[in-house]
Amino acid sequence: MVDRSLNAHGRPAETAGSPDAQAGYVLGHTARELDRLDLQGRLYREVTRRAFLEGGIAPGMHVLDLGCGSGDVSCLAAGLVGSDGSVLGIDRDAGTVDAARQRARDRGVTNVSFEVASIGDTLGGAPFDALVGRFILMHLPDPARALAAAASSVRAGGPIVFVESSMSSIRTHHSFPHSPVYDAIVQWKCAVVGGSGADLDAGLRLRRTFLDAGLPEPTTRLDAQVEGGPDTPLYHYLAESVRSMLPRARALGITGFDEASVDSLAERLRADVLTRSGVLVNWPVVAACSRAP
């Protein structure tokens, strides 16, 4: 259950002291960005599924998904907990929550629900059996505090599993042979994401974040897809990621890409890789698994 305190606009009220009061999502919440999140979900689904299984997500559990976005992680968890379990996905953006509900309906997932809510003091009611999240802690100003607040809603011993990006890991070694087009994307995205206040090392920092949140020593794993060939969706995914970041880049005064250059970016990247018979390293992720104290 989610106990929401609403402001005058009918949206969850947040105070300056709330764990995610200053969080800012770099890529926005447009319909096209939600489609990109769906593609991202397909690229990272297997590593997320493996992390959830290794972390102890099991049939019959009632799971909280923190920062649910378009609902991919929530629906994945719903499949693991089965018809006797349930998943609640929460996100601060009402449009994103509406989209997640529609996507769940389109997939025929009936044991998942979504609410507009914040972290920590907006959560109440009976404890959850598990807490999960993907690519959310990196956008929070105090991830350990947010994680501790969310973990307080989990029963003692319940699994806590998060998957976070380690963007800085591929700043120098990201393609083989070296792809100048991909290098431009990597450096530009790191500049935009880092300039917006997100943590480029959130994945490698996960162990420290879990410990600072008062959780037991987690198990951690680094994963990265290595993709090449003519048909990988990675080219389109990377181009759409750049497109979603353009408004933030302009606000930060970061140049290098615009709408016209992004329109041809996927094909230029594809040609660059195929010409070299090469491969790209997709953004690495770290999965961390622990238990609620």
Side-chain angles (χ1 to χ4, degrees), residues 225-245:
Q225 293 170 291
V226 180
E227 297 277 352
D231 300 321
T232 173
L234 186 57
Y235 308 130
H236 179 68
Y237 167 69
L238 291 166
E240 288 302 296
S241 296
V242 171
R243 188 187 303 278
S244 290
M245 290 183 182

Side-chain angles (χ1 to χ4, degrees), residues 5-285:
S5 175
L6 301 182
N7 61 24
H9 303 288
R11 298 289 298 279
E14 294 176 4
T15 66
S18 67
D20 64 349
Q22 300 175 35
Y25 182 56
V26 178
L27 294 98
H29 302 280
T30 66
R32 191 159 188 167
E33 165 58 12
L34 293 174
D35 289 339
R36 188 201 67 86
L37 286 175
D38 285 344
L39 178 55
Q40 175 176 275
R42 293 198 294 274
L43 288 169
Y44 289 103
R45 186 161 298 151
E46 186 52 39
V47 65
T48 306
R49 180 177 183 275
R50 182 169 65 243
F52 286 179
L53 289 173
E54 291 179 353
I57 305 302
M61 284 185 169
H62 180 39
V63 178
L64 173 65
D65 175 20
L66 196 66
C68 62
S70 63
D72 180 79
V73 170
S74 298
C75 289
L76 173 58
L80 297 179
V81 302
S83 58
D84 291 332
S86 64
V87 178
L88 173 64
I90 65 169
D91 198 283
R92 299 195 313 160
D93 184 74
T96 298
V97 167
D98 287 342
R101 289 170 179 157
Q102 185 59 54
R103 280 162 164 74
R105 286 193 292 267
D106 292 343
R107 295 178 182 180
V109 181
T110 58
N111 61 333
V112 63
S113 60
F114 300 95
E115 296 288 347
V116 178
S118 292
I119 300 169
D121 58 358
T122 61
L123 300 178
F128 294 90
D129 297 313
L131 171 67
V132 301
R134 184 176 70 194
F135 304 156
I136 175 64
L137 297 178
M138 67 180 294
H139 296 290
L140 302 180
D142 191 342
R145 183 180 176 215
L147 181 58
S152 68
S153 298
V154 181
R155 63 171 177 79
I160 296 177
V161 186
F162 277 77
V163 177
E164 290 292 330
S165 177
S166 180
M167 294 184 67
S168 62
S169 297
I170 59 170
R171 269 181 153 165
T172 56
H173 295 88
H174 49 59
S175 52
F176 182 84
H178 178 81
S179 165
V181 178
Y182 193 36
D183 185 68
I185 294 172
V186 169
Q187 306 310 328
W188 186 90
K189 286 187 64 175
C190 284
V192 176
V193 174
S196 300
D199 185 3
L200 302 181
D201 295 304
L204 293 178
R205 209 184 306 277
L206 263 183
R207 175 183 176 272
R208 184 74 261 164
T209 299
F210 270 54
L211 296 178
D212 288 347
L215 301 179
E217 182 76 45
T219 60
T220 53
R221 178 200 297 272
L222 175 70
D223 253 293
Q225 293 170 291
V226 180
E227 297 277 352
D231 300 321
T232 173
L234 186 57
Y235 308 130
H236 179 68
Y237 167 69
L238 291 166
E240 288 302 296
S241 296
V242 171
R243 188 187 303 278
S244 290
M245 290 183 182
L246 285 175
R248 184 61 61 91
R250 282 193 290 267
L252 293 171
I254 297 173
T255 59
F257 292 102
D258 55 24
E259 283 81 359
S261 63
V262 171
D263 286 342
S264 62
L265 183 56
E267 186 53 41
R268 287 189 285 118
L269 181 60
R270 178 179 180 273
D272 194 38
V273 173
L274 295 182
T275 298
R276 293 171 169 77
S277 297
V279 292
L280 306 177
V281 181
N282 194 14
W283 305 102
V285 297

